[in-house]
Amino acid sequence: MPPPDCPPIVSVEHVFKSVTDSSGALDILRDVQFQLAARETAAITGASGSGKSTLLSIIAGLDTPTRGTVRLAGQDLFAVGEDARAAIRARQIGFVFQSFQLMGNLPALENVMLPLELLGRRDARAHAREMLARVGLDARLGHYPKVLSGGEQQRVALARAFVVQPALLLADEPTGSLDWATGEQVMALMLALNREQGTALLLVTHDRAIAARCQRRITVEAGRITQDSAHDDLAAD
């Protein structure tokens, strides 16, 4: 667990999210607040429809709260426009999804180069090669997603997420489409990269075993946080 004086990389402050349809107003998130320190790992758990993925989208600045604030490294994400939020995401946030979200028309190497190229990095190719080697795919640089296994695709996605050395990694059911053994390998790799790069990790999962691998478990029920607790066996690490 990070030291108590470690400044938060993420601060979620009294976040509400409501939508209105033909049946009236629906409260998706209700007064959600918590902080995540640099290097910390936390799992958001809860039943389907509890608001987990909406919360992750708001923390990423991809969705906007009805009211409340999200700060990333002290920057209020919703005090700036969408272009500025996109720039913050590009520099500071990595994403891993259940469905991989790779570009099917690009080989593995170019998928991993893409976020670096968007940042104008001239060393994109060299760094992408290094990152793919780190996740064990140095022999798959020229392979397109359609010929890679699910586990290999998720490792490409991890390489793409970590290649920019983000302050925060957001993962939405990162092992949900993988078999148990492959999911375990991907989760171990994600946590290893988290430690190596000092990246904070916030993931959404239904899997209790995956949640138990994180330092904290944040439980969401009907749009509210009902539990936010540390795992004692990990807190001493």
Side-chain angles (χ1 to χ4, degrees):
M1 181 70 71
D5 59 346
C6 188
I9 191 66
V10 174
S11 181
V12 179
E13 303 170 8
H14 301 288
V15 164
F16 292 75
K17 178 67 176 182
S18 301
V19 296
T20 302
D21 59 18
S22 57
S23 62
L26 174 64
D27 295 326
I28 300 175
L29 296 173
R30 297 183 286 177
D31 199 19
V32 172
Q33 50 184 327
F34 67 92
Q35 293 183 338
L36 188 71
R39 299 178 177 271
E40 192 172 9
T41 62
I44 300 175
T45 64
S48 296
S50 59
K52 306 184 304 298
S53 292
T54 298
L55 176 57
L56 210 67
S57 293
I58 288 175
I59 292 170
L62 294 167
D63 195 359
T64 57
T66 303
R67 67 180 192 270
T69 301
V70 175
R71 301 182 194 277
L72 179 62
Q75 170 69 62
D76 184 344
L77 289 181
F78 302 106
V80 299
E82 176 52 39
D83 288 348
R85 282 199 297 276
I88 291 169
R89 280 195 296 273
R91 295 192 308 270
Q92 304 240 38
I93 302 178
F95 296 92
V96 179
F97 303 95
Q98 178 177 346
S99 56
F100 316 133
Q101 298 290 332
L102 299 178
M103 301 293 290
N105 61 329
L106 298 178
L109 179 61
E110 292 181 27
N111 263 284
V112 179
M113 288 171 59
L114 188 59
L116 293 171
E117 291 176 330
L118 292 174
L119 291 172
R121 294 274 297 270
R122 294 184 178 182
D123 55 356
R125 183 171 295 271
H127 276 286
R129 282 179 174 271
E130 291 173 5
M131 200 69 228
L132 282 165
R134 173 61 188 85
V135 300
L137 293 177
D138 45 330
R140 297 285 192 270
L141 303 182
H143 288 62
Y144 288 82
K146 66 181 180 181
V147 300
L148 298 175
S149 69
E152 288 172 333
Q153 289 186 64
Q154 195 62 299
R155 281 190 280 158
V156 173
L158 283 178
R160 181 182 60 186
F162 277 102
V163 76
V164 297
Q165 296 187 309
L168 173 67
L169 181 74
L170 299 176
D172 195 354
E173 297 286 359
T175 63
S177 61
L178 305 174
D179 63 77
W180 181 85
T182 304
E184 281 289 299
Q185 293 170 0
V186 165
M187 189 65 194
L189 180 57
M190 188 184 307
L191 290 171
L193 290 168
N194 155 260
R195 291 190 296 270
E196 290 170 16
Q197 294 196 2
T199 299
L201 170 63
L202 185 63
L203 66 87
V204 164
T205 184
H206 284 94
D207 190 324
R208 291 184 179 183
I210 295 296
R213 303 281 294 274
C214 295
Q215 293 166 321
R216 281 166 65 193
R217 179 172 177 174
I218 300 170
T219 303
V220 179
E221 295 180 7
R224 294 184 184 275
I225 291 179
T226 58
Q227 182 180 10
D228 184 352
S229 58
H231 288 129
D232 292 338
D233 55 335
L234 292 175
D237 287 351

